[in-house]
Amino acid sequence: MTQVRSASATYTYVDIENVVRRVNADLVMIADSTGCWTPEEARNYAHDVEVLAKAGYLKWVDVTLISNGVEIKAVRFEVDTDAGSLSTSRPGGVLWPKVAGAKLRIVLSYTDDYTSAAREATKGKLKIGWVTCYDDTSHAALSSSGGRNYVSNAYGMQRKDWAS
């Protein structure tokens, strides 16, 4: 006898808000520890992450600490819309050092649904004036240093960490 079962993964805006709240906590910790962004700047980035995530346009968020042109630390939050099997983590582990000549770079990657019409429709909801970036975000000069999962029902973001 054979049984076939299927399940569909679902999530709501509340699940996205729960996950982005954890991402926001990480962004604020990174901002505070490096001194490169104000807490308000970090919250504005998190706001835009949430807007794009709720619309289904967000693929990943990459944040890199750069000192005098050299990558020091990085994290990437990759959207997972079938994350129900993952367990969630608490935010943290991102108290990055204050270094000379430091800057933080944040890069967002979008889904294919983020067409020019979608960009125009979303533009008024975003707090940051995002521009196209062609920087290498592979972090080839850094080593993988762990990560965390932020999950609420089937919606999640898997954080990957890199360090020098």
Side-chain angles (χ1 to χ4, degrees):
M1 180 173 170
T2 303
Q3 288 186 333
V4 178
R5 294 182 182 186
S6 66
S8 61
T10 59
Y11 56 88
T12 66
Y13 281 170
V14 172
D15 295 315
I16 294 171
E17 290 166 358
N18 289 337
V19 169
V20 173
R21 190 176 309 120
R22 294 177 183 115
V23 172
N24 178 55
D26 281 352
L27 294 180
V28 170
M29 279 186 243
I30 290 169
D32 188 52
S33 63
T34 62
C36 291
W37 293 337
T38 66
E40 184 176 348
E41 286 174 304
R43 284 191 291 274
N44 286 342
Y45 288 125
H47 170 271
D48 287 3
V49 165
E50 185 174 310
V51 168
L52 294 166
K54 283 181 174 177
Y57 301 143
L58 186 66
K59 195 172 190 180
W60 50 257
V61 180
D62 190 279
V63 181
T64 308
L65 174 62
I66 300 169
S67 173
N68 298 316
V70 177
E71 291 187 358
I72 306 298
K73 295 243 183 198
V75 292
R76 179 173 297 173
F77 303 92
E78 294 191 22
V79 172
D80 185 344
T81 57
D82 192 20
S85 63
L86 300 175
S87 58
T88 197
S89 310
R90 296 181 66 161
V94 285
L95 294 176
W96 291 357
K98 285 188 181 186
V99 292
K103 73 171 188 176
L104 289 173
R105 176 187 64 205
I106 183 167
V107 178
L108 306 184
S109 179
Y110 309 110
T111 63
D112 292 339
D113 293 336
Y114 200 45
T115 61
S116 56
R119 289 173 198 262
E120 204 51 44
T122 308
K123 193 175 182 180
K125 299 175 184 172
L126 303 177
K127 292 186 174 182
I128 306 295
W130 297 95
V131 295
T132 302
C133 173
Y134 297 101
D135 290 358
D136 178 8
T137 58
S138 67
H139 310 300
L142 301 177
S143 300
S144 178
S145 62
R148 296 183 184 214
N149 298 321
Y150 301 143
V151 180
S152 182
N153 288 318
Y155 191 85
M157 289 195 195
Q158 296 181 40
R159 192 184 89 195
K160 297 178 181 175
D161 300 7
W162 288 270
S164 55

